[in-house]
Every structure is written in C-alpha cells, then in structure tokens.
C-alpha cells in the first residue's frame, strides 16, 4: 500500500470528516499517486462550503456516501478542478452539475475507486467520462505521450451496443477540445473498421463485453495499459450473463487501476464484483439502492383486454399528436407488426429490435433523436441507458417480462428533472399487485380497475419469471385464458374453475400460450431475451463477440459481421 504526503486541501477535507488520518493518505493506485495528489485536488472554494449547505444538499437529493476522506460535493463545474480545456467545453453545454455529478466528480477526480448507485437519466455518463478525459490528459502530462502505443489507457464497458454508441457520441463532443481519440468495439458492426480505429492509437475504448472479449482472445487488441476502468450499468451486464467476460477483461488490465462501477441496483452479484476488483472504494447512492420509479413521471394505467390494446393505442396516439413517443413491445414480431399498423394509419413510426442490422438500428435512433420521426417502437434493447432528450411519452404496449424492466422503460421519459408521462396497457396476465406497489411508492394514482384486477389475480411474478414458466404440473393445451395455473380456467365472472384439458406449469407453462408474446418456451426466438442464458437473443441484441478471423490483416468478413 502506497502512502504519500497529503495535499493541504485534502487534509482539510479529512479533518472535516473526522478522519484520524489527517497526515497521510492511502492511495489505492500508487502509479497515479503524483497525478492524483498534485493535479486532481479539490479547489478551496469547494472545501470551504458551509457544512450546513452541504448537508442540506445531500439531504435534498437523498445522497448517501460511505468511505474515508470523502470530498464534499461541488456546486459548480468550476469547483471540480477539471483541466481548463474540458471545463470550458462543459460550460458551453451545461450550467451546473446534476446531483450525481456533483458528488461523483470530486471522488473520481481524486483517483478513488467508486461504486455509484442511481436511477437512469441522472447524468452519470459525464460523471465518469469527464474524469476519464482528465485522466488521459494527466497521463500525457506525466511524459507518456511519446510512448509506443500499447492499447488504450481508459476502458468503458457497457451492456448494449446502443449504450456504447451513445457514450462514444458524448466522447466525440470532446474530441476537438481534448484531442482524445476513441474506439467503440461492439457487435453488429464490422470488425475490420473497429480494428482500423484501434490501429490509429485511441486512448479511450468503449466496448461491450462480448466483442471486446473476442478481440482479446484473438490477440488482435490489448488492454494491458488500461488503468482507468468504468463498468456502466453493471447490474444489467451481470443479468445478461456477462460476468465471466467482465472478470476476464478486468484481469487483462493493469493490476493497479482506478475502477468506477455504476449501477441502477445493488444486488449481491454486483457487491461481489465490487469486492473482488475494487478493493477499498467509496460507495455513493442517490435515493434507495432498490429500484424505484422516477417521481417526475406521471404513470397512467389502462386496464384492458389484449384484443383491445390496438384500439386503445390508436386512441392514445390521437391524444398525443406529434409529441415524441417511445413504444415498447415484448417481441420483435410485435414491433414489426405495430410499425406497419401505425404507418398504415397515418402515424409515422420506426421500429428497432435485435433482428435489424446495426446500421438500421443506429439510423432509427438518429432519426428519432433528430425529430424526423416522433414515434419509435422498440423491444427492451432500448429500455436502459439510452439518453434521448425530449421523449414526452412512453407507452408499454406489452407489459415487460419482469417488473424492473417496467421501471427502466418508463425512465426513458422524465429525464434530467423534466416531466414525462407513461401509458401502460395492463391485462389479467400482468402483475397487478406489483404495479400497484410501484404506483404507491411513487405517489401515483391507482385506478380502481387495477385494484379489482389485483383482487382477482393469482399472480406469482417477479423473481422466477413464473408468469412465463407456470406453477408446476404437466404441459397442457394452449387454452386462451389460462397461463400456467395448472388445471383451472378463467370464467367471465372472474372465478377460477377446473379445466378438463389441463395444462400449466413446467418449462414455458402449458396453460396459456400468449400468441403476441411468443411465451418463453422453445419457440421463444421471437423474444429479445431468451430464457435463462439468452441463448438465442444475445447474438442479436447484446453482442455475442462475433466471429473470429485468423489474421488482423485478413479482410475477409470485414463488412459481413453481424455479431
């Protein structure tokens, strides 16, 4: 463990926090010690902030920070002591930091490992990207600019292609101001182009785990010089089964490094990953560590029959008019069908899902962001991370397979303290009780129809995906109104009666086969998320690493990569 003389400003912070180590500072990354202490110190104005003001700020935004020598939040970007060229560019875009940026920036700029828990749309991209750019500049200033290129020095991992491209897009905004080149390694894009970008010597790499792992295994890229790592949407990456790839990737970076981990939730798996790779770290969360709905979003619930959803949707679209709207479906087939249906009825819409090429997906998002089309239909590939400004409405045409995705979906609106509205169509197959709980927690109105639906429901939904896997028993016929509840059927008077044809339970449930959702049995290829380990869909939506080629300079397959 490296010990260095502490900067006087940092010592003042330690004294204010009651730390007994006012005379020395334990630095996790000894290689970065000189950079951290001399160049990333917090400014006097930030440290002289009145303690009552800081306490009020933390309380107002429900910020909780755990760690030794934690710096106070900054109330302006000028207080963060970022390099001037980065600071001036930030100020042309934003007036002041968001709450998560206010607390995360001084922590990250001090070179400390950190875990940040916060809802989507809170501005965490800049919270890790600005310190990353500052880190690169300080490495240059330390005399490493003339070194032989041995790979990037900063690595940002994200779960999906769209999120990775979004981070790259933000990074490109600072390219002229910083001169920092980047490479984005994702599935669905040509490997040859990514390798050519890598050969140009980027200092910043943004990647999805599958594609990067493929490049590392083929030894076409190296990350041995990386000493600043960001794991964005860490809980999502683990949910998608990327833990082995993440661990393998981190082991190929420098042993001494700064690691920042951002997540919407704080489950056991994320904790274990943090303990294994972050060592001593500062923990910061805004709000609860449990997932909760954004209170800036007005949640409207429409209890309906699945056969009436099409009519209900068209009525909603008439009310919404030309406002930017994101519609979620559970299956790729529903996305395609709804895209045709809306366009046929005069509503210009574009769809995005895993069976579309990366160029199609990127073009759809670009047109949606730019306003060429105000309606985008998507599977859950667009449920997390994407920052599309101006989305006024989110419509859940199909309710998602788990309750967490509902919260992430509606979080595409109401971002950055803006207001938004979500409209969700709920049928008797959906988890009414869970929805009521979310509505109450976010101080939303609970419609009586939903209360009645919950009273008559027999749901078992959430942790085990029981909505799609039944409650036991042998596989039966695909009857219309039962869904994995064993030998019973639904009568018009909402009572449950014995079913002669039986069915229910087991893998995929035998009672009801949802023709719109394609269920989650062996026919689940129509769903963007295959049950269990994403066997069929990860290649489409979440980057499976792609095909390999024998030589870096073998051009075969450059333009044909689909993974």
């Amino acid at each position: 463990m490296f010990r260095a003389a502490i900067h006087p400003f940092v010592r003042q912070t330690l004294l204010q926090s009651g730390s007994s180590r006012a005379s020395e500072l334990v630095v996790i990354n000894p290689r970065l010690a000189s950079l951290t202490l001399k160049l990333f110190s917090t400014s006097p104005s930030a440290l002289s902030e009145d303690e009552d003001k800081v306490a009020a700020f933390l309380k107002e935004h429900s910020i909780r920070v755990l760690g030794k020598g934690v710096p106070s939040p900054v109330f302006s970007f000028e207080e963060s002591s970022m390099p001037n060229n980065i600071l001036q560019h930030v100020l042309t875009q934003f007036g002041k930091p968001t709450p998560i940026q206010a607390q995360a920036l001084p922590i990250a700029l001090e070179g400390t490992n950190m875990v940040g828990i916060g809802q989507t749309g809170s501005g965490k991209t800049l919270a890790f990207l600005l310190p990353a750019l500052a880190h690169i500049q300080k490495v240059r200033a330390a005399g490493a600019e003339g070194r032989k290129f041995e790979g990037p020095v900063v690595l940002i991992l994200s779960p999906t292609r769209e999120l990775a491209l979004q981070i790259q897009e933000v990074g490109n905004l600072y390219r002229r101001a910083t001169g920092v080149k980047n490479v984005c390694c994702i599935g669905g894009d040509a490997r040859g182009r990514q390798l050519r970008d890598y050969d140009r010597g980027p200092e910043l790499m943004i990647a999805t785990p599958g594609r990067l792992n493929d490049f590392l295994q083929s030894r076409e890229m190296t990350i041995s010089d990386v000493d600043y790592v960001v794991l964005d949407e860490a809980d999502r990456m683990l949910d998608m089964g990327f833990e082995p790839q993440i661990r393998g990737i981190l082991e190929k970076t420098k042993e001494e490094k700064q690691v920042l981990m951002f997540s919407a939730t704080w489950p056991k798996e994320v904790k274990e990953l943090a303990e294994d790779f972050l060592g001593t770290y500062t923990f910061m969360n805004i709000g609860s560590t449990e997932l909760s709905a954004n209170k800036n979003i007005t949640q409207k619930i429409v209890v309906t029959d699945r056969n009436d959803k099409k009519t209900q949707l068209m009525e909603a679209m008439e009310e919404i008019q030309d406002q930017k709207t994101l519609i979620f479906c559970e299956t790729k087939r529903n996305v395609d069908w709804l895209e045709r249906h809306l366009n046929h009825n005069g509503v210009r819409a574009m769809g995005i899902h895993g069976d579309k090429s990366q160029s199609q997906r990127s073009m759809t998002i670009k047109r949606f962001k730019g306003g060429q089309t105000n309606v985008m239909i998507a599977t859950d590939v667009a449920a997390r991370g994407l920052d599309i400004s101006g989305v006024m409405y989110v419509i859940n045409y199909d309710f998602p397979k788990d309750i967490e995705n509902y919260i992430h979906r509606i979080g595409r609106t109401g971002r950055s303290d803006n207001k938004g509205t979500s409209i969700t169509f709920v049928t008797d197959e959906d988890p009414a009780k869970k929805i009521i709980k979310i509505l109450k927690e976010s101080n939303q109105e609970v419609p009586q129809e939903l209360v009645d639906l919950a009273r008559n429901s027999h749901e078992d939904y959430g942790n085990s995906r029981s909505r799609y896997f039944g409650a036991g028993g042998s596989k039966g016929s695909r009857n219309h109104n039962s869904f994995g509840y064993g030998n019973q059927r639904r009568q018009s008077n909402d009572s449950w009666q014995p079913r002669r044809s039986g069915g229910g339970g087991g893998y995929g449930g035998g009672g009801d086969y949802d023709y719109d959702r394609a269920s989650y049995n062996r026919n689940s290829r129509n769903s963007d998320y295959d049950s269990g380990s994403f066997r069929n869909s990860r290649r489409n939506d979440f980057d499976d690493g792609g095909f390999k080629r024998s030589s870096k300079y073998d051009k075969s397959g450059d333009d044909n990569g689909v993974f």
Side-chain angles (χ1 to χ4, degrees):
M1 190 69 74
F2 180 85
R3 300 184 185 278
I6 190 168
H7 194 283
F9 296 145
V10 180
R11 181 187 300 112
Q12 181 179 346
T13 302
L14 291 174
L15 289 170
Q16 290 177 348
S17 64
S19 172
S20 60
R21 293 181 177 271
S23 61
E24 59 182 5
L25 173 67
V26 177
V27 179
I28 297 172
N29 190 340
R31 178 178 174 276
L32 302 177
S34 60
L35 302 180
T36 299
L37 296 179
K38 295 178 182 179
L39 301 171
F40 286 160
S41 61
T42 308
S43 67
S45 60
L47 292 171
S48 62
E49 289 290 344
D50 183 80
E51 290 184 5
D52 292 338
K53 182 179 179 181
V54 171
F57 178 84
L58 298 178
K59 182 178 180 180
E60 177 186 357
H61 299 286
S62 302
I63 298 175
R64 182 171 64 109
V65 187
L66 301 175
K68 292 184 178 180
V70 178
S72 299
V74 295
F75 298 98
S76 67
F77 287 110
E78 291 90 338
E79 295 176 4
S80 64
S81 297
M82 282 184 290
N84 187 62
N85 58 328
I86 299 177
L87 174 63
Q88 294 305 316
H89 192 76
V90 172
L91 293 177
T92 63
Q93 298 177 297
F94 307 101
K96 64 178 182 179
T98 65
I100 194 170
Q101 293 166 2
Q103 184 61 76
L105 282 173
I107 296 173
L109 287 171
E110 284 194 350
T112 304
N113 290 350
M114 181 182 70
V115 171
I117 310 296
Q119 65 185 19
T120 57
S122 56
K124 61 179 180 290
T125 299
L126 283 183
F128 61 72
L129 187 58
L130 295 179
L133 297 174
H135 173 77
I136 291 171
Q137 290 195 174
K138 301 316 172 184
V139 170
R140 290 175 181 171
E145 190 172 8
R147 68 185 176 88
K148 179 182 178 182
F149 178 69
E150 297 180 358
V153 295
V154 171
L155 171 63
I156 301 173
L157 287 178
S158 80
T160 65
R161 313 175 201 172
E162 278 72 26
L163 182 54
L165 289 171
Q166 180 176 286
I167 296 170
Q168 183 187 37
E169 184 179 328
V170 177
N172 287 339
L173 295 177
Y174 292 83
R175 183 167 180 172
R176 177 174 294 182
T178 63
V180 174
K181 293 179 287 187
N182 64 65
V183 58
C184 188
C185 301
I186 58 173
D189 200 6
R191 288 167 53 91
R193 181 167 55 200
Q194 295 172 11
L195 286 167
R196 288 191 291 271
D197 288 343
Y198 174 83
D199 289 340
R200 295 187 180 102
E203 297 158 296
L204 169 64
M205 174 180 283
I206 305 136
T208 50
R211 174 55 63 93
L212 178 56
N213 188 61
D214 174 55
F215 279 133
L216 297 177
Q217 288 183 343
S218 63
R219 298 186 179 181
E220 294 171 297
M221 292 184 180
T222 179
I223 53 173
S224 60
D225 215 26
V226 167
D227 54 14
Y228 183 105
V229 179
V230 177
L231 303 179
D232 193 20
E233 302 281 2
D235 54 344
R236 188 61 175 149
M237 287 193 285
L238 296 182
D239 285 345
M240 291 163 57
F242 280 132
E243 183 173 356
Q245 289 93 331
I246 293 172
R247 290 182 177 275
I249 289 168
L250 290 176
E251 288 172 356
K252 291 179 174 63
T253 60
K254 281 187 175 294
E255 182 177 353
E256 299 294 341
K257 54 182 171 287
Q258 181 182 0
V259 183
L260 308 180
M261 179 184 293
F262 289 87
S263 178
T265 57
W266 187 230
K268 177 183 177 182
E269 294 78 10
V270 177
K271 293 179 184 177
E272 291 176 349
L273 192 66
E275 291 171 357
D276 290 346
F277 288 98
L278 272 69
T280 303
Y281 60 87
T282 298
F283 178 86
M284 178 193 71
N285 73 281
I286 297 182
S288 172
T289 56
E290 301 296 327
L291 200 61
S292 59
N294 185 346
K295 294 183 180 180
N296 288 330
I297 302 169
T298 300
Q299 302 174 54
K300 296 183 178 180
I301 304 297
V302 179
V303 177
T304 184
D305 183 88
R306 65 178 178 179
N307 295 322
D308 293 333
K309 287 196 294 184
K310 179 172 64 175
T311 302
Q312 299 274 9
L313 175 64
M314 296 311 299
E315 291 177 356
M317 297 307 298
E318 289 181 6
E319 179 182 341
I320 291 170
Q321 296 294 322
D322 294 329
Q323 298 184 77
K324 188 172 288 188
T325 303
L326 180 56
I327 303 174
F328 283 102
C329 296
E330 191 70 356
T331 67
K332 304 169 189 175
R333 181 175 59 184
N334 267 9
V335 170
D336 292 337
W337 170 82
L338 203 53
E339 181 181 1
R340 292 191 301 269
H341 177 72
L342 290 176
N343 281 291
H344 179 74
N345 285 274
V347 179
R348 188 174 182 182
M350 300 184 70
I352 175 176
H353 58 66
D355 282 350
K356 293 182 180 288
S357 68
Q358 187 59 51
S359 60
Q360 288 176 312
R361 293 162 66 166
S362 298
M363 180 59 67
T364 297
I365 293 175
K366 181 179 180 180
R367 290 179 177 175
F368 187 57
K369 285 184 174 181
Q372 287 88 349
T373 180
N374 283 327
V375 178
M376 186 170 78
I377 313 160
T379 54
D380 281 333
V381 66
R384 290 184 66 160
L386 287 184
D387 186 10
I388 301 175
S389 61
V391 175
M392 301 303 298
Y393 284 85
V394 168
I395 297 178
N396 289 303
Y397 185 79
D398 298 323
F399 200 85
K401 70 181 184 295
D402 61 63
I403 203 71
E404 286 190 359
N405 271 358
Y406 167 75
I407 296 175
H408 288 301
R409 284 181 179 184
I410 67 174
R412 298 310 93 205
T413 186
R415 298 172 69 83
S416 302
D417 292 329
N418 293 315
K419 302 295 183 181
T421 302
S422 69
I423 301 173
T424 302
F425 299 122
V426 176
T427 70
D428 59 3
E429 296 167 0
D430 298 318
K433 295 177 182 177
K434 301 277 188 180
I435 299 172
I436 290 174
K437 181 180 179 182
I438 291 175
L439 293 175
K440 289 181 177 180
E441 288 176 349
S442 51
N443 301 322
Q444 300 288 313
E445 180 182 352
V446 180
Q448 185 59 43
E449 295 89 345
L450 186 63
V451 175
D452 295 339
L453 186 65
R455 185 180 298 116
N456 296 315
S457 70
H458 291 248
E459 65 187 62
D460 180 15
Y461 182 94
N463 295 330
S464 62
R465 298 186 184 179
S466 57
R467 182 165 75 127
Y468 297 104
F469 285 88
S474 60
K475 182 178 179 180
S477 62
R478 296 174 178 176
N479 293 290
H480 181 72
N481 289 320
S482 170
F483 204 82
Y485 290 112
N487 295 328
Q488 47 192 338
R489 60 190 172 91
R490 189 74 173 269
Q491 298 282 22
S492 60
N493 62 0
D494 288 335
S495 62
W496 292 91
Q497 301 294 336
R499 175 191 295 280
R500 291 183 181 179
S501 55
Y507 185 65
D512 179 2
Y513 183 88
D514 190 328
Y515 295 95
D516 288 335
R517 303 185 188 203
S519 192
Y520 279 83
N521 56 16
R522 59 176 174 269
N523 295 319
S524 65
R525 285 176 295 177
N526 280 328
S527 171
D528 269 309
Y529 298 107
D530 186 44
S531 59
S533 60
F534 302 90
R535 293 186 297 274
N536 298 318
S537 66
R538 231 176 69 188
R539 290 182 179 272
N540 289 331
D541 274 340
F542 299 112
D543 174 46
D544 193 30
F547 58 86
K548 297 181 175 65
R549 59 177 181 167
S550 57
S551 171
K552 180 175 180 179
Y553 301 100
D554 176 9
K555 302 303 179 183
S556 62
D558 273 3
D559 299 320
N560 299 317
V562 295
F563 297 129

